[in-house]
Amino acid sequence: MSTTEESIDVDVPVHVAYNQWTQFRTFPRFMDGVRRVDQIQASTTHWVTRFGPRTYEYDAEIVEQVPDRLVRWEVLDEPRHTGTATFEGLGAGHCRVTLRVDLRSRGAVRQAAAVLGITRRAVRAALTSFKEFTEGQGRETGAWRGEISKGHVRPTEGRSRPHVPTWPTG
């Protein structure tokens, strides 16, 4: 396994950075190579990415999520990896975002990523772009404040179970 960890200070309050990170559909607006992210369920996302001439599609499960602290995920398909984004308040209007990626792919993919520093550059670029996007917005584009533990969505405070909208039938 190959591990990469990078941090960046962002000039927004920690809740703004965290809230923006939970808006996975906006990732293509600031993250190179990400073409589309669909939120299938509260704890499952589907990603379409492009690296060089190749397009990858994979599902990721959010295994742990704590508002204003962390989002941890595990990719269920190739390229296999796990990741954690942590958020730390640095005082009024400032925070630190740390992104850790553990690449689990075997063979040539992992070796090339390690030798060429591809993963480290991608993580650094993702954080830099996230910082620029979030600071440029000045506020989050949305928020999801629920908690996830071991892949299971925990009820929002004050509710006995997660809120599910009632869809009209007809």
Side-chain angles (χ1 to χ4, degrees), residues 5 11 17 33 39 50-51 54 61 77 86 95 99-100 105 127 158-159 162:
E5 184 172 301
D11 292 329
Q39 186 93 34
R50 187 158 183 87
F51 179 72
R54 189 149 183 219
E61 179 183 17
D77 310 301
T86 57
C95 67
L99 183 56
R100 176 187 172 125
S105 293
L127 283 174
R159 292 189 180 149

Side-chain angles (χ1 to χ4, degrees), residues 6-7 10 12 21 24 43 65 68 70 87 92 98 103 136 140-141 165:
E6 294 281 333
S7 296
V10 184
V12 298
W21 193 271
F24 302 110
S43 64
Q65 186 165 334
D68 300 339
L70 70 90
F87 305 84
T98 301
L103 189 60
E140 61 272 72
T141 60

Side-chain angles (χ1 to χ4, degrees), residues 5-68:
E5 184 172 301
E6 294 281 333
S7 296
I8 197 163
D9 293 350
V10 184
D11 292 329
V12 298
V14 69
H15 73 274
V16 171
Y18 171 84
N19 288 345
Q20 186 59 56
W21 193 271
T22 66
Q23 301 306 294
F24 302 110
R25 289 184 178 165
T26 65
F27 277 42
R29 293 174 62 186
F30 63 83
M31 196 175 286
D32 286 342
V34 176
R35 297 297 183 238
R36 189 178 85 235
V37 183
D38 298 320
Q39 186 93 34
I40 298 169
Q41 297 176 346
S43 64
T44 308
T45 54
H46 179 78
W47 294 68
V48 179
T49 61
R50 187 158 183 87
F51 179 72
R54 189 149 183 219
T55 298
Y56 298 91
E57 289 197 39
Y58 53 87
D59 292 332
E61 179 183 17
I62 301 165
V63 294
E64 187 174 6
Q65 186 165 334
V66 180
D68 300 339

Side-chain angles (χ1 to χ4, degrees), residues 51-125:
F51 179 72
R54 189 149 183 219
T55 298
Y56 298 91
E57 289 197 39
Y58 53 87
D59 292 332
E61 179 183 17
I62 301 165
V63 294
E64 187 174 6
Q65 186 165 334
V66 180
D68 300 339
R69 290 195 39 224
L70 70 90
V71 177
R72 181 172 293 127
W73 65 91
E74 180 176 325
V75 172
L76 305 174
D77 310 301
E78 289 295 331
R80 302 271 309 174
H81 72 274
T82 59
T84 305
T86 57
F87 305 84
E88 175 187 0
L90 299 176
H94 307 283
C95 67
R96 177 166 295 136
V97 179
T98 301
L99 183 56
R100 176 187 172 125
V101 175
D102 298 311
L103 189 60
R104 294 183 175 179
S105 293
R106 296 192 170 151
V109 172
R110 188 175 77 192
Q111 289 175 346
V115 170
L116 300 173
I118 294 170
T119 306
R120 180 162 307 283
R121 285 197 314 268
V123 167
R124 190 174 299 137

